[in-house]
Amino acid sequence: MIYELNHVGGRVQDLEASLSFYGGLGAEVVDRLFMPGPRVNRVHIQLATGLVELLHHEQPDPQATYGLNHIGFMTDDLDGDYARLMDLGYAELSSPRVAGSGQGRLAFLSDPNGVRVELLQRSEEFRVAPITTGPVVGFTHVAVAAPDPEAAAEFYGTHLGMERVADDTFRLGADTVKLVPPPAATIAHLAFTTQSPTADTHDPDGIPVTFVST
């Protein structure tokens, strides 16, 4: 069963710049490791309840695309959930395998609108109690592109088991996904709640970050 919206993640050009940007919003590093095979630094940071996975490859790749590019969900039955979603006709990106970190297993598929979705099964828990020491006091949502909102609603609401809390918003665990119409990047933006009005901005790799004041 898929039971948690675990993280939004992607590849970053400058790890320290990303850590500085999110740290300025109150993020804390909750997990950090180096994967020697692909020579990748993986860092999980947490803002309020939301986990962001930053992947930094030590070897530059001029063909690489940088920025947040997937959302990850936890499951207690990776093989079963992956097979079920494949039987429903969703596109396979990577079948279940041992994670490069060695921490459990993972698989990737595409939602109906091309959003890259990761399924994870592992025993490690990186999420800590909600972090509210910085300007960000809440993780409002991760916005994903949904040119076909009905198909996206069926995927997230029916097949991933997320609770529909608004016409375009779905929650699982502590965090939410919001469907946004085109034109939008696959991961359209991250939204956070702050105690006072804050100007919208972009992270170092160009992902829009928006703020809602309480």
Side-chain angles (χ1 to χ4, degrees):
M1 180 180 74
I2 296 167
Y3 62 88
E4 179 184 270
L5 169 55
N6 182 255
H7 69 268
V8 56
R11 187 169 181 165
V12 300
Q13 297 187 70
D14 185 331
L15 180 58
E16 295 309 314
S18 292
L19 291 175
S20 177
F21 172 80
Y22 287 107
L25 300 180
E28 295 182 10
V29 174
V30 294
D31 162 74
R32 186 167 189 160
L33 62 76
F34 177 68
M35 294 183 279
R39 302 195 63 78
V40 173
N41 291 286
R42 188 199 70 186
V43 182
H44 285 92
I45 58 175
Q46 182 172 324
L47 296 97
T49 59
L51 289 177
V52 179
E53 178 187 59
L54 306 176
L55 300 170
H56 178 256
H57 294 242
E58 287 195 342
Q59 295 293 93
D61 181 357
Q63 304 302 316
T65 300
Y66 293 94
L68 300 178
N69 60 20
H70 71 273
I71 47 177
F73 292 84
M74 292 288 282
T75 172
D76 57 13
D77 181 9
L78 176 63
D79 295 296
D81 281 322
Y82 193 76
R84 175 175 60 82
L85 292 167
M86 292 300 98
D87 288 344
L88 290 166
Y90 295 108
E92 177 179 6
L93 299 179
S94 176
S95 59
R97 58 180 171 82
V98 175
S101 65
Q103 296 172 320
R105 300 169 66 240
L106 55 78
F108 285 91
L109 67 148
S110 176
D111 88 351
N113 295 293
V115 177
R116 193 164 170 248
V117 174
E118 179 181 21
L119 300 182
L120 289 159
Q121 185 170 9
R122 65 181 178 214
S123 58
E124 292 81 6
E125 176 57 70
F126 304 138
R127 194 187 304 271
V128 299
I131 296 170
T132 56
T133 54
V136 168
V137 297
F139 180 53
T140 310
H141 61 257
V142 52
V144 301
D148 187 338
E150 292 185 3
E154 181 179 22
F155 177 78
Y156 292 102
T158 302
H159 301 312
L160 294 195
M162 302 186 78
E163 176 190 4
R164 191 169 195 164
V165 295
D167 286 346
D168 58 359
T169 306
F170 298 80
R171 177 182 293 122
L172 186 62
D175 301 320
T176 61
V177 165
K178 183 181 178 68
L179 310 178
V180 296
T186 302
I187 304 296
H189 66 262
L190 301 180
F192 300 101
T193 303
T194 58
Q195 291 180 332
S196 58
T198 305
D200 295 348
T201 185
H202 291 77
D203 81 0
D205 291 291
I207 295 295
V209 178
T210 65
F211 301 98
V212 180
S213 60
T214 57

